[in-house]
Amino acid sequence: LGLMKTVLGEEHPEALTSMNNLALVLNDQGKYEEAKQTQRQAFELRQRMLGSDHRSTHQSRVNKQFRDCSLCRSILPKS
């Protein structure tokens, strides 16, 4: 991601996709706060650069909801 940001720029669609994917990986690793921050940054940049109705912006929204559900499952007692 760092190299993509350097070469393409932080606001390039491919860099934003990588940032969004990194947030998913961080979430899977249990690094919830870092995942939350990375996902929020990806969403905000996508919304600003691509617009609210763009499918990539929508995907960031879906990923945030998934991350939030994953976080809830990790802290709720198992039945």
mmCIF file of all heavy atoms in Angstrom, residues 19-41 43 59-75:
data_model
loop_
_atom_site.group_PDB
_atom_site.id
_atom_site.type_symbol
_atom_site.label_atom_id
_atom_site.label_comp_id
_atom_site.label_asym_id
_atom_site.label_seq_id
_atom_site.Cartn_x
_atom_site.Cartn_y
_atom_site.Cartn_z
ATOM 1 N N MET A 19 -6.255 0.002 0.187
ATOM 2 C CA MET A 19 -6.510 0.459 1.555
ATOM 3 C C MET A 19 -7.746 -0.233 2.127
ATOM 4 O O MET A 19 -7.759 -0.677 3.274
ATOM 5 C CB MET A 19 -6.704 1.977 1.559
ATOM 6 C CG MET A 19 -6.807 2.573 2.938
ATOM 7 S SD MET A 19 -7.106 4.361 2.915
ATOM 8 C CE MET A 19 -5.712 4.940 1.968
ATOM 9 N N ASN A 20 -8.775 -0.349 1.309
ATOM 10 C CA ASN A 20 -9.995 -1.029 1.726
ATOM 11 C C ASN A 20 -9.720 -2.503 2.035
ATOM 12 O O ASN A 20 -10.176 -3.034 3.045
ATOM 13 C CB ASN A 20 -11.045 -0.895 0.623
ATOM 14 C CG ASN A 20 -12.415 -1.260 1.084
ATOM 15 O OD1 ASN A 20 -12.979 -0.597 1.945
ATOM 16 N ND2 ASN A 20 -12.981 -2.306 0.508
ATOM 17 N N ASN A 21 -8.932 -3.158 1.185
ATOM 18 C CA ASN A 21 -8.583 -4.561 1.403
ATOM 19 C C ASN A 21 -7.733 -4.735 2.655
ATOM 20 O O ASN A 21 -7.892 -5.708 3.399
ATOM 21 C CB ASN A 21 -7.858 -5.128 0.185
ATOM 22 C CG ASN A 21 -8.769 -5.259 -1.015
ATOM 23 O OD1 ASN A 21 -9.985 -5.265 -0.892
ATOM 24 N ND2 ASN A 21 -8.181 -5.336 -2.192
ATOM 25 N N LEU A 22 -6.826 -3.796 2.889
ATOM 26 C CA LEU A 22 -6.003 -3.848 4.102
ATOM 27 C C LEU A 22 -6.879 -3.789 5.348
ATOM 28 O O LEU A 22 -6.631 -4.513 6.318
ATOM 29 C CB LEU A 22 -4.995 -2.697 4.102
ATOM 30 C CG LEU A 22 -4.147 -2.562 5.369
ATOM 31 C CD1 LEU A 22 -3.315 -3.822 5.623
ATOM 32 C CD2 LEU A 22 -3.249 -1.332 5.266
ATOM 33 N N ALA A 23 -7.909 -2.969 5.315
ATOM 34 C CA ALA A 23 -8.821 -2.882 6.457
ATOM 35 C C ALA A 23 -9.474 -4.229 6.743
ATOM 36 O O ALA A 23 -9.622 -4.626 7.908
ATOM 37 C CB ALA A 23 -9.884 -1.813 6.208
ATOM 38 N N LEU A 24 -9.847 -4.951 5.698
ATOM 39 C CA LEU A 24 -10.445 -6.284 5.882
ATOM 40 C C LEU A 24 -9.450 -7.261 6.501
ATOM 41 O O LEU A 24 -9.797 -8.051 7.384
ATOM 42 C CB LEU A 24 -10.962 -6.819 4.540
ATOM 43 C CG LEU A 24 -12.130 -6.064 3.923
ATOM 44 C CD1 LEU A 24 -12.417 -6.581 2.522
ATOM 45 C CD2 LEU A 24 -13.361 -6.142 4.802
ATOM 46 N N VAL A 25 -8.206 -7.211 6.047
ATOM 47 C CA VAL A 25 -7.167 -8.094 6.588
ATOM 48 C C VAL A 25 -6.906 -7.764 8.057
ATOM 49 O O VAL A 25 -6.812 -8.663 8.906
ATOM 50 C CB VAL A 25 -5.866 -7.985 5.757
ATOM 51 C CG1 VAL A 25 -4.715 -8.716 6.438
ATOM 52 C CG2 VAL A 25 -6.087 -8.535 4.359
ATOM 53 N N LEU A 26 -6.800 -6.485 8.367
ATOM 54 C CA LEU A 26 -6.573 -6.077 9.753
ATOM 55 C C LEU A 26 -7.715 -6.548 10.646
ATOM 56 O O LEU A 26 -7.492 -7.012 11.774
ATOM 57 C CB LEU A 26 -6.424 -4.553 9.843
ATOM 58 C CG LEU A 26 -5.162 -3.976 9.223
ATOM 59 C CD1 LEU A 26 -5.279 -2.452 9.109
ATOM 60 C CD2 LEU A 26 -3.931 -4.367 10.021
ATOM 61 N N ASN A 27 -8.933 -6.456 10.147
ATOM 62 C CA ASN A 27 -10.084 -6.939 10.901
ATOM 63 C C ASN A 27 -9.970 -8.441 11.153
ATOM 64 O O ASN A 27 -10.195 -8.911 12.275
ATOM 65 C CB ASN A 27 -11.375 -6.621 10.148
ATOM 66 C CG ASN A 27 -12.591 -6.960 10.959
ATOM 67 O OD1 ASN A 27 -12.921 -6.275 11.918
ATOM 68 N ND2 ASN A 27 -13.279 -8.032 10.575
ATOM 69 N N ASP A 28 -9.605 -9.194 10.128
ATOM 70 C CA ASP A 28 -9.453 -10.652 10.275
ATOM 71 C C ASP A 28 -8.363 -11.006 11.273
ATOM 72 O O ASP A 28 -8.430 -12.050 11.923
ATOM 73 C CB ASP A 28 -9.134 -11.301 8.932
ATOM 74 C CG ASP A 28 -10.330 -11.335 7.992
ATOM 75 O OD1 ASP A 28 -11.472 -11.098 8.461
ATOM 76 O OD2 ASP A 28 -10.124 -11.573 6.790
ATOM 77 N N GLN A 29 -7.364 -10.139 11.407
ATOM 78 C CA GLN A 29 -6.273 -10.370 12.349
ATOM 79 C C GLN A 29 -6.624 -9.931 13.766
ATOM 80 O O GLN A 29 -5.824 -10.086 14.679
ATOM 81 C CB GLN A 29 -5.008 -9.637 11.894
ATOM 82 C CG GLN A 29 -4.416 -10.170 10.630
ATOM 83 C CD GLN A 29 -3.229 -9.349 10.149
ATOM 84 O OE1 GLN A 29 -3.031 -8.204 10.522
ATOM 85 N NE2 GLN A 29 -2.419 -9.959 9.290
ATOM 86 N N GLY A 30 -7.815 -9.390 13.939
ATOM 87 C CA GLY A 30 -8.235 -8.935 15.263
ATOM 88 C C GLY A 30 -7.719 -7.558 15.628
ATOM 89 O O GLY A 30 -7.835 -7.125 16.762
ATOM 90 N N LYS A 31 -7.175 -6.840 14.671
ATOM 91 C CA LYS A 31 -6.669 -5.484 14.900
ATOM 92 C C LYS A 31 -7.799 -4.499 14.587
ATOM 93 O O LYS A 31 -7.751 -3.745 13.624
ATOM 94 C CB LYS A 31 -5.442 -5.220 14.028
ATOM 95 C CG LYS A 31 -4.297 -6.168 14.331
ATOM 96 C CD LYS A 31 -3.131 -5.953 13.387
ATOM 97 C CE LYS A 31 -2.021 -6.943 13.673
ATOM 98 N NZ LYS A 31 -0.897 -6.792 12.740
ATOM 99 N N TYR A 32 -8.816 -4.530 15.442
ATOM 100 C CA TYR A 32 -10.061 -3.852 15.149
ATOM 101 C C TYR A 32 -9.934 -2.332 15.068
ATOM 102 O O TYR A 32 -10.534 -1.716 14.189
ATOM 103 C CB TYR A 32 -11.122 -4.238 16.178
ATOM 104 C CG TYR A 32 -11.384 -5.721 16.191
ATOM 105 C CD1 TYR A 32 -11.122 -6.474 17.319
ATOM 106 C CD2 TYR A 32 -11.863 -6.372 15.057
ATOM 107 C CE1 TYR A 32 -11.343 -7.838 17.330
ATOM 108 C CE2 TYR A 32 -12.090 -7.740 15.049
ATOM 109 C CZ TYR A 32 -11.831 -8.471 16.192
ATOM 110 O OH TYR A 32 -12.049 -9.816 16.198
ATOM 111 N N GLU A 33 -9.190 -1.730 15.959
ATOM 112 C CA GLU A 33 -9.067 -0.272 15.932
ATOM 113 C C GLU A 33 -8.330 0.195 14.677
ATOM 114 O O GLU A 33 -8.744 1.153 14.019
ATOM 115 C CB GLU A 33 -8.363 0.236 17.195
ATOM 116 C CG GLU A 33 -8.441 1.736 17.352
ATOM 117 C CD GLU A 33 -9.859 2.294 17.373
ATOM 118 O OE1 GLU A 33 -10.765 1.670 17.952
ATOM 119 O OE2 GLU A 33 -10.059 3.381 16.778
ATOM 120 N N GLU A 34 -7.256 -0.499 14.329
ATOM 121 C CA GLU A 34 -6.512 -0.153 13.113
ATOM 122 C C GLU A 34 -7.368 -0.391 11.869
ATOM 123 O O GLU A 34 -7.344 0.402 10.930
ATOM 124 C CB GLU A 34 -5.217 -0.956 13.054
ATOM 125 C CG GLU A 34 -4.248 -0.480 12.021
ATOM 126 C CD GLU A 34 -2.917 -1.232 12.056
ATOM 127 O OE1 GLU A 34 -2.695 -2.046 12.971
ATOM 128 O OE2 GLU A 34 -2.118 -1.000 11.141
ATOM 129 N N ALA A 35 -8.141 -1.478 11.883
ATOM 130 C CA ALA A 35 -9.045 -1.763 10.767
ATOM 131 C C ALA A 35 -10.082 -0.664 10.625
ATOM 132 O O ALA A 35 -10.375 -0.202 9.516
ATOM 133 C CB ALA A 35 -9.728 -3.111 10.965
ATOM 134 N N LYS A 36 -10.622 -0.233 11.754
ATOM 135 C CA LYS A 36 -11.643 0.814 11.750
ATOM 136 C C LYS A 36 -11.090 2.106 11.161
ATOM 137 O O LYS A 36 -11.729 2.739 10.318
ATOM 138 C CB LYS A 36 -12.135 1.038 13.177
ATOM 139 C CG LYS A 36 -13.187 2.093 13.327
ATOM 140 C CD LYS A 36 -13.577 2.222 14.792
ATOM 141 C CE LYS A 36 -14.572 3.332 15.016
ATOM 142 N NZ LYS A 36 -14.932 3.443 16.439
ATOM 143 N N GLN A 37 -9.912 2.493 11.582
ATOM 144 C CA GLN A 37 -9.299 3.729 11.082
ATOM 145 C C GLN A 37 -8.981 3.640 9.593
ATOM 146 O O GLN A 37 -9.232 4.585 8.840
ATOM 147 C CB GLN A 37 -8.034 4.044 11.878
ATOM 148 C CG GLN A 37 -8.308 4.418 13.311
ATOM 149 C CD GLN A 37 -7.036 4.534 14.140
ATOM 150 O OE1 GLN A 37 -5.933 4.344 13.639
ATOM 151 N NE2 GLN A 37 -7.199 4.840 15.415
ATOM 152 N N THR A 38 -8.437 2.507 9.175
ATOM 153 C CA THR A 38 -8.075 2.328 7.769
ATOM 154 C C THR A 38 -9.315 2.312 6.893
ATOM 155 O O THR A 38 -9.357 2.940 5.833
ATOM 156 C CB THR A 38 -7.270 1.028 7.585
ATOM 157 O OG1 THR A 38 -6.112 1.081 8.427
ATOM 158 C CG2 THR A 38 -6.834 0.826 6.154
ATOM 159 N N GLN A 39 -10.342 1.624 7.355
ATOM 160 C CA GLN A 39 -11.586 1.550 6.590
ATOM 161 C C GLN A 39 -12.243 2.916 6.502
ATOM 162 O O GLN A 39 -12.733 3.307 5.446
ATOM 163 C CB GLN A 39 -12.534 0.527 7.235
ATOM 164 C CG GLN A 39 -13.699 0.131 6.359
ATOM 165 C CD GLN A 39 -14.793 1.170 6.327
ATOM 166 O OE1 GLN A 39 -15.056 1.831 7.319
ATOM 167 N NE2 GLN A 39 -15.438 1.309 5.188
ATOM 168 N N ARG A 40 -12.237 3.656 7.590
ATOM 169 C CA ARG A 40 -12.840 4.990 7.585
ATOM 170 C C ARG A 40 -12.109 5.900 6.599
ATOM 171 O O ARG A 40 -12.736 6.632 5.832
ATOM 172 C CB ARG A 40 -12.802 5.604 8.979
ATOM 173 C CG ARG A 40 -13.444 7.001 9.005
ATOM 174 C CD ARG A 40 -13.423 7.638 10.379
ATOM 175 N NE ARG A 40 -14.275 6.876 11.276
ATOM 176 C CZ ARG A 40 -13.918 6.496 12.501
ATOM 177 N NH1 ARG A 40 -12.741 6.807 12.975
ATOM 178 N NH2 ARG A 40 -14.747 5.825 13.254
ATOM 179 N N GLN A 41 -10.783 5.825 6.598
ATOM 180 C CA GLN A 41 -10.002 6.643 5.679
ATOM 181 C C GLN A 41 -10.306 6.265 4.226
ATOM 182 O O GLN A 41 -10.503 7.138 3.381
ATOM 183 C CB GLN A 41 -8.512 6.495 5.963
ATOM 184 C CG GLN A 41 -7.653 7.375 5.101
ATOM 185 C CD GLN A 41 -6.172 7.194 5.369
ATOM 186 O OE1 GLN A 41 -5.758 6.238 6.025
ATOM 187 N NE2 GLN A 41 -5.365 8.102 4.870
ATOM 188 N N PHE A 43 -13.033 4.866 3.063
ATOM 189 C CA PHE A 43 -14.396 5.292 2.741
ATOM 190 C C PHE A 43 -14.453 6.792 2.471
ATOM 191 O O PHE A 43 -15.037 7.237 1.476
ATOM 192 C CB PHE A 43 -15.360 4.926 3.871
ATOM 193 C CG PHE A 43 -16.732 5.500 3.677
ATOM 194 C CD1 PHE A 43 -17.574 4.996 2.700
ATOM 195 C CD2 PHE A 43 -17.167 6.564 4.445
ATOM 196 C CE1 PHE A 43 -18.839 5.537 2.502
ATOM 197 C CE2 PHE A 43 -18.419 7.111 4.260
ATOM 198 C CZ PHE A 43 -19.260 6.596 3.295
ATOM 199 N N GLN A 59 -19.053 -0.286 -1.814
ATOM 200 C CA GLN A 59 -18.331 -1.448 -1.280
ATOM 201 C C GLN A 59 -17.675 -1.114 0.060
ATOM 202 O O GLN A 59 -17.652 -1.937 0.965
ATOM 203 C CB GLN A 59 -17.285 -1.946 -2.275
ATOM 204 C CG GLN A 59 -16.587 -3.221 -1.836
ATOM 205 C CD GLN A 59 -17.553 -4.376 -1.672
ATOM 206 O OE1 GLN A 59 -18.354 -4.645 -2.559
ATOM 207 N NE2 GLN A 59 -17.490 -5.061 -0.546
ATOM 208 N N SER A 60 -17.150 0.092 0.190
ATOM 209 C CA SER A 60 -16.563 0.509 1.466
ATOM 210 C C SER A 60 -17.620 0.523 2.568
ATOM 211 O O SER A 60 -17.341 0.142 3.703
ATOM 212 C CB SER A 60 -15.926 1.903 1.356
ATOM 213 O OG SER A 60 -14.719 1.847 0.655
ATOM 214 N N ARG A 61 -18.837 0.958 2.231
ATOM 215 C CA ARG A 61 -19.928 0.938 3.210
ATOM 216 C C ARG A 61 -20.245 -0.491 3.638
ATOM 217 O O ARG A 61 -20.419 -0.768 4.820
ATOM 218 C CB ARG A 61 -21.185 1.578 2.614
ATOM 219 C CG ARG A 61 -21.285 3.033 2.801
ATOM 220 C CD ARG A 61 -22.691 3.535 2.410
ATOM 221 N NE ARG A 61 -22.534 4.835 1.816
ATOM 222 C CZ ARG A 61 -22.567 5.107 0.529
ATOM 223 N NH1 ARG A 61 -22.802 4.174 -0.356
ATOM 224 N NH2 ARG A 61 -22.392 6.328 0.098
ATOM 225 N N VAL A 62 -20.317 -1.387 2.673
ATOM 226 C CA VAL A 62 -20.605 -2.794 2.965
ATOM 227 C C VAL A 62 -19.499 -3.383 3.843
ATOM 228 O O VAL A 62 -19.778 -4.071 4.826
ATOM 229 C CB VAL A 62 -20.762 -3.610 1.658
ATOM 230 C CG1 VAL A 62 -20.799 -5.095 1.937
ATOM 231 C CG2 VAL A 62 -21.999 -3.154 0.907
ATOM 232 N N ASN A 63 -18.250 -3.082 3.527
ATOM 233 C CA ASN A 63 -17.136 -3.598 4.319
ATOM 234 C C ASN A 63 -17.172 -3.066 5.741
ATOM 235 O O ASN A 63 -16.852 -3.775 6.689
ATOM 236 C CB ASN A 63 -15.796 -3.246 3.664
ATOM 237 C CG ASN A 63 -15.568 -4.029 2.402
ATOM 238 O OD1 ASN A 63 -16.237 -5.018 2.127
ATOM 239 N ND2 ASN A 63 -14.620 -3.583 1.605
ATOM 240 N N LYS A 64 -17.566 -1.812 5.908
ATOM 241 C CA LYS A 64 -17.682 -1.246 7.257
ATOM 242 C C LYS A 64 -18.744 -2.003 8.041
ATOM 243 O O LYS A 64 -18.545 -2.350 9.200
ATOM 244 C CB LYS A 64 -18.041 0.232 7.198
ATOM 245 C CG LYS A 64 -18.195 0.847 8.592
ATOM 246 C CD LYS A 64 -18.743 2.251 8.526
ATOM 247 C CE LYS A 64 -18.912 2.855 9.893
ATOM 248 N NZ LYS A 64 -19.755 2.099 10.802
ATOM 249 N N GLN A 65 -19.865 -2.269 7.409
ATOM 250 C CA GLN A 65 -20.926 -3.008 8.087
ATOM 251 C C GLN A 65 -20.456 -4.408 8.444
ATOM 252 O O GLN A 65 -20.733 -4.911 9.534
ATOM 253 C CB GLN A 65 -22.179 -3.049 7.220
ATOM 254 C CG GLN A 65 -22.819 -1.691 7.070
ATOM 255 C CD GLN A 65 -23.878 -1.657 5.990
ATOM 256 O OE1 GLN A 65 -24.000 -2.568 5.177
ATOM 257 N NE2 GLN A 65 -24.647 -0.584 5.963
ATOM 258 N N PHE A 66 -19.726 -5.055 7.548
ATOM 259 C CA PHE A 66 -19.185 -6.383 7.818
ATOM 260 C C PHE A 66 -18.213 -6.331 8.990
ATOM 261 O O PHE A 66 -18.260 -7.152 9.887
ATOM 262 C CB PHE A 66 -18.492 -6.935 6.580
ATOM 263 C CG PHE A 66 -17.811 -8.252 6.813
ATOM 264 C CD1 PHE A 66 -18.544 -9.421 6.897
ATOM 265 C CD2 PHE A 66 -16.437 -8.315 6.991
ATOM 266 C CE1 PHE A 66 -17.927 -10.632 7.121
ATOM 267 C CE2 PHE A 66 -15.807 -9.515 7.233
ATOM 268 C CZ PHE A 66 -16.556 -10.676 7.298
ATOM 269 N N ARG A 67 -17.332 -5.322 8.987
ATOM 270 C CA ARG A 67 -16.368 -5.178 10.069
ATOM 271 C C ARG A 67 -17.084 -4.967 11.391
ATOM 272 O O ARG A 67 -16.750 -5.560 12.397
ATOM 273 C CB ARG A 67 -15.417 -4.013 9.800
ATOM 274 C CG ARG A 67 -14.355 -3.855 10.866
ATOM 275 C CD ARG A 67 -13.580 -2.563 10.736
ATOM 276 N NE ARG A 67 -14.419 -1.389 10.590
ATOM 277 C CZ ARG A 67 -15.059 -0.794 11.595
ATOM 278 N NH1 ARG A 67 -14.980 -1.265 12.798
ATOM 279 N NH2 ARG A 67 -15.793 0.272 11.368
ATOM 280 N N ASP A 68 -18.106 -4.127 11.380
ATOM 281 C CA ASP A 68 -18.866 -3.878 12.602
ATOM 282 C C ASP A 68 -19.522 -5.158 13.107
ATOM 283 O O ASP A 68 -19.524 -5.427 14.307
ATOM 284 C CB ASP A 68 -19.916 -2.795 12.374
ATOM 285 C CG ASP A 68 -19.308 -1.410 12.182
ATOM 286 O OD1 ASP A 68 -18.101 -1.239 12.476
ATOM 287 O OD2 ASP A 68 -20.039 -0.512 11.732
ATOM 288 N N CYS A 69 -20.060 -5.966 12.197
ATOM 289 C CA CYS A 69 -20.665 -7.241 12.595
ATOM 290 C C CYS A 69 -19.611 -8.193 13.146
ATOM 291 O O CYS A 69 -19.845 -8.884 14.132
ATOM 292 C CB CYS A 69 -21.373 -7.893 11.412
ATOM 293 S SG CYS A 69 -22.889 -7.069 10.938
ATOM 294 N N SER A 70 -18.438 -8.223 12.528
ATOM 295 C CA SER A 70 -17.355 -9.079 12.997
ATOM 296 C C SER A 70 -16.922 -8.678 14.396
ATOM 297 O O SER A 70 -16.669 -9.515 15.251
ATOM 298 C CB SER A 70 -16.143 -9.005 12.062
ATOM 299 O OG SER A 70 -16.464 -9.528 10.806
ATOM 300 N N LEU A 71 -16.841 -7.383 14.631
ATOM 301 C CA LEU A 71 -16.451 -6.891 15.945
ATOM 302 C C LEU A 71 -17.484 -7.299 16.982
ATOM 303 O O LEU A 71 -17.132 -7.767 18.060
ATOM 304 C CB LEU A 71 -16.282 -5.370 15.917
ATOM 305 C CG LEU A 71 -15.914 -4.697 17.235
ATOM 306 C CD1 LEU A 71 -14.604 -5.267 17.783
ATOM 307 C CD2 LEU A 71 -15.803 -3.200 17.048
ATOM 308 N N CYS A 72 -18.762 -7.172 16.647
ATOM 309 C CA CYS A 72 -19.821 -7.572 17.576
ATOM 310 C C CYS A 72 -19.727 -9.059 17.896
ATOM 311 O O CYS A 72 -19.835 -9.459 19.050
ATOM 312 C CB CYS A 72 -21.201 -7.256 16.995
ATOM 313 S SG CYS A 72 -21.567 -5.501 16.935
ATOM 314 N N ARG A 73 -19.508 -9.879 16.885
ATOM 315 C CA ARG A 73 -19.399 -11.322 17.110
ATOM 316 C C ARG A 73 -18.211 -11.650 17.995
ATOM 317 O O ARG A 73 -18.267 -12.596 18.775
ATOM 318 C CB ARG A 73 -19.278 -12.058 15.771
ATOM 319 C CG ARG A 73 -20.580 -12.189 15.027
ATOM 320 C CD ARG A 73 -20.470 -13.206 13.899
ATOM 321 N NE ARG A 73 -19.415 -12.882 12.954
ATOM 322 C CZ ARG A 73 -19.573 -12.179 11.838
ATOM 323 N NH1 ARG A 73 -20.760 -11.708 11.522
ATOM 324 N NH2 ARG A 73 -18.574 -11.947 11.043
ATOM 325 N N SER A 74 -17.150 -10.874 17.908
ATOM 326 C CA SER A 74 -15.956 -11.180 18.680
ATOM 327 C C SER A 74 -16.115 -10.835 20.159
ATOM 328 O O SER A 74 -15.431 -11.399 20.996
ATOM 329 C CB SER A 74 -14.739 -10.448 18.105
ATOM 330 O OG SER A 74 -14.813 -9.068 18.380
ATOM 331 N N ILE A 75 -17.021 -9.908 20.493
ATOM 332 C CA ILE A 75 -17.147 -9.512 21.890
ATOM 333 C C ILE A 75 -18.395 -10.076 22.563
ATOM 334 O O ILE A 75 -18.491 -10.055 23.781
ATOM 335 C CB ILE A 75 -17.117 -7.974 22.037
ATOM 336 C CG1 ILE A 75 -18.252 -7.314 21.288
ATOM 337 C CG2 ILE A 75 -15.777 -7.421 21.636
ATOM 338 C CD1 ILE A 75 -18.350 -5.812 21.471
#
